[in-house]
Amino acid sequence: MGIITRSSASRKPSEIMRFFVTTFIGIVFGFFIGVSVPTLSITKLNLPSGLLPSIDLSYIEDRYTGRQAWSFMNNGNKRSSSQVKALNDTSKIWVPSNPRGAERLPPGIVEAESDFYLRRLWGKPSEDLTSKPKYLVTFTVGYEQKKNIDAAVKKFSGNFSVLLFHYDGRTTEWDEFEWSKRAIHVSARKQTKWWYAKRFLHPDIVAPYDYIFIWDEDLGVEHFDAEEYIKLVRKHGLEISQPGLEPNKGLTWQMTKRRGDREVHKVTMEKPGWCSDPHLPPCAAFVEIMAPVFSRDAWRCVWHMIQNDLVHGWGLDFALRRCVEPAHEKIGVVDSQWIVHQGLPSLGNQGETQTGKAPWQGVRERCRKEWTMFQTRLASAEDAYYKSIGIDTSNSTAH
């Protein structure tokens, strides 16, 4: 027994030494294997489908591969540690001329404007767009007026981006029209044109477009061509305009009635006492809100004047003149490209019956209230401004 014990004790140190040597050799061998074999792609591993059910392995590999991450961090250049430290110190960037909220960004990365150009999900971004439309036309629509809108959209060439605002929530049905598949569709139930315009036509979004058409859905366009209209708007220097309206169809202002003896008119004669100044609405500097067309610069001003809660826009047409100067020369009606206001009670029927009144009656009552509210707000804002600069307007009748 004593001999066996001594033999076991004498072998134990040699076995321990052999274990350490073997481990060390294994580590060294593994290191050399690791640096000589290409990086293993985890996306090529044959893992059970239920093991990582919610992980996009290709995304993880692309995002976190050490070689790519290092290349990104160094941006393809060899920078000193001091340069890297300076780049990572974002407190050193403050550019007051950047858009509000973007002062901490280097100016070269700031994208202050956007557009409605559709992009592909594949390929090179620089090759996405074969053309960039120069103009934008929007219609606020319900599906029941699809034939009318189809006829209207076809009057606008490929130079126009088409944007439909759907107040009835029906969007996919419009794909029966080929042009609809290239249009932008925005849906919010029971909302108006000016509600949409305030929220989706910010000046920095529509900045790529020279002119913006913001039209109703009940317009007959048999005698209208959008390209010819643009030519006349440019020719006569109109910043805010509309096509002439068929004079024998429905009620309209004298200013917006089509004249058959000219291309464009900018002034008119209204009923006695209606115009305190021949250069003011409704005798001049005036178009209606059913089919207005704005230049890029004019729209930037008009957008800021639209009120968030006054969604019908009544009263805006009398205030548009504040956005161009001189208004009586830059606001006008294009007579040779004219439309018909069909007066369809479409959006009016989206109201709700209250106190026994028809839905359209409640909508019309709110329209009138909004007109009064807008006039009051505008007058109060002007008075407050003049007061702030020391001008007394209490005895003035001109606003």
Side-chain angles (χ1 to χ4, degrees):
M1 294 295 293
I3 296 173
I4 294 175
T5 303
R6 285 195 301 271
S7 177
S8 298
S10 64
R11 286 199 304 268
K12 189 172 184 180
S14 61
E15 290 176 356
I16 294 173
M17 181 61 68
R18 189 181 299 112
F19 172 79
F20 281 115
V21 171
T22 303
T23 302
F24 176 78
I25 293 173
I27 292 173
V28 173
F29 180 76
F31 172 79
F32 282 107
I33 290 294
V35 297
S36 61
V37 176
T39 303
L40 178 64
S41 172
I42 62 175
T43 59
K44 295 181 176 61
L45 291 178
N46 187 20
L47 297 175
S49 59
L51 183 60
L52 296 173
S54 62
I55 299 178
D56 185 340
L57 296 179
S58 63
Y59 172 79
I60 294 175
E61 182 180 37
D62 289 344
R63 186 173 176 86
Y64 294 109
T65 297
R67 187 179 306 163
Q68 292 175 339
W70 179 252
S71 175
F72 174 78
M73 290 294 291
N74 286 275
N75 197 26
N77 299 316
K78 294 182 178 179
R79 296 191 175 106
S80 67
S81 60
S82 60
Q83 288 176 316
V84 172
K85 183 178 180 181
L87 289 173
N88 290 332
D89 187 359
T90 57
S91 65
K92 292 184 180 300
I93 297 178
W94 184 261
V95 187
S97 59
N98 278 357
R100 187 176 65 178
E103 295 87 354
R104 295 185 182 279
L105 298 177
I109 199 63
V110 172
E111 286 279 5
E113 299 174 348
S114 190
D115 55 62
F116 287 113
Y117 302 147
L118 297 177
R119 296 284 181 170
R120 302 178 302 176
L121 302 181
W122 63 93
K124 297 180 180 179
S126 60
E127 298 175 356
D128 284 350
L129 304 177
T130 56
S131 64
K132 294 183 178 181
K134 297 185 294 184
Y135 318 115
L136 174 68
V137 58
T138 77
F139 295 94
T140 302
V141 303
Y143 187 65
E144 292 183 359
Q145 306 305 328
K146 64 176 183 176
K147 292 183 178 179
N148 211 47
I149 294 299
D150 179 48
V153 169
K154 289 176 179 177
K155 292 290 185 172
F156 293 85
S157 70
N159 279 329
F160 287 81
S161 291
V162 177
L163 173 57
L164 298 189
F165 296 130
H166 299 270
Y167 61 75
D168 61 353
R170 301 175 67 180
T171 57
T172 56
E173 293 96 324
W174 289 82
D175 279 352
E176 67 181 88
F177 304 113
E178 187 61 31
W179 56 261
S180 176
K181 299 173 185 178
R182 301 184 300 274
I184 307 296
H185 298 264
V186 175
S187 178
R189 291 179 180 273
K190 298 181 183 293
Q191 300 303 314
T192 70
K193 173 169 68 176
W194 300 107
W195 183 91
Y196 287 111
K198 186 65 173 177
R199 287 149 184 85
F200 298 100
L201 298 182
H202 188 281
D204 289 344
I205 299 295
V206 300
Y209 304 105
D210 293 343
Y211 293 94
I212 301 100
F213 292 61
I214 305 180
W215 282 21
D216 289 350
E217 63 181 338
D218 58 345
L219 304 175
V221 293
E222 182 181 355
H223 306 283
F224 178 82
D225 180 274
E227 290 286 350
E228 292 301 316
Y229 184 92
I230 292 292
K231 290 179 182 178
L232 292 171
V233 165
R234 293 189 190 278
K235 176 181 177 180
H236 293 274
L238 299 179
E239 297 290 320
I240 301 176
S241 63
Q242 74 162 79
L245 294 174
E246 166 57 52
N248 299 317
K249 181 72 173 179
L251 299 174
T252 184
W253 298 92
Q254 289 295 325
M255 177 64 184
T256 55
K257 288 182 179 179
R258 169 182 174 259
R259 298 183 185 179
D261 59 347
R262 62 195 67 192
E263 291 180 335
V264 165
H265 73 270
K266 302 178 182 180
V267 296
T268 191
M269 293 293 294
E270 262 292 353
K271 295 179 180 178
W274 280 35
C275 297
S276 58
D277 186 318
H279 288 167
L280 294 180
C283 289
F286 177 75
V287 297
E288 296 187 68
I289 59 174
M290 70 180 71
V293 180
F294 304 95
S295 71
R296 180 193 298 108
D297 291 339
W299 177 247
R300 183 168 290 277
C301 171
V302 172
W303 184 89
H304 284 89
M305 189 165 57
I306 298 172
Q307 306 291 287
N308 286 319
D309 58 332
L310 306 184
V311 296
H312 289 288
W314 276 37
L316 273 177
D317 37 16
F318 280 81
L320 294 177
R321 64 185 179 86
R322 301 169 189 276
C323 286
V324 292
E325 180 65 33
H328 64 279
E329 294 181 4
K330 295 187 177 182
I331 299 179
V333 175
V334 178
D335 298 289
S336 58
Q337 295 295 319
W338 49 285
I339 59 177
V340 176
H341 185 211
Q342 299 168 338
L344 300 174
S346 49
L347 185 59
N349 288 337
Q350 295 291 308
E352 293 184 1
T353 301
Q354 292 181 336
T355 63
K357 296 179 180 179
W360 69 267
Q361 289 178 306
V363 172
R364 182 54 59 94
E365 286 181 2
R366 171 154 178 165
C367 288
R368 294 193 179 100
K369 290 178 181 177
E370 288 195 6
W371 192 350
T372 300
M373 293 172 68
F374 181 76
Q375 288 177 311
T376 301
R377 289 184 189 180
L378 188 55
S380 297
E382 282 193 334
D383 289 342
Y385 169 74
Y386 287 125
K387 183 178 180 180
S388 70
I389 60 175
I391 298 178
D392 184 7
T393 61
S394 58
N395 296 322
S396 174
T397 60
H399 284 295

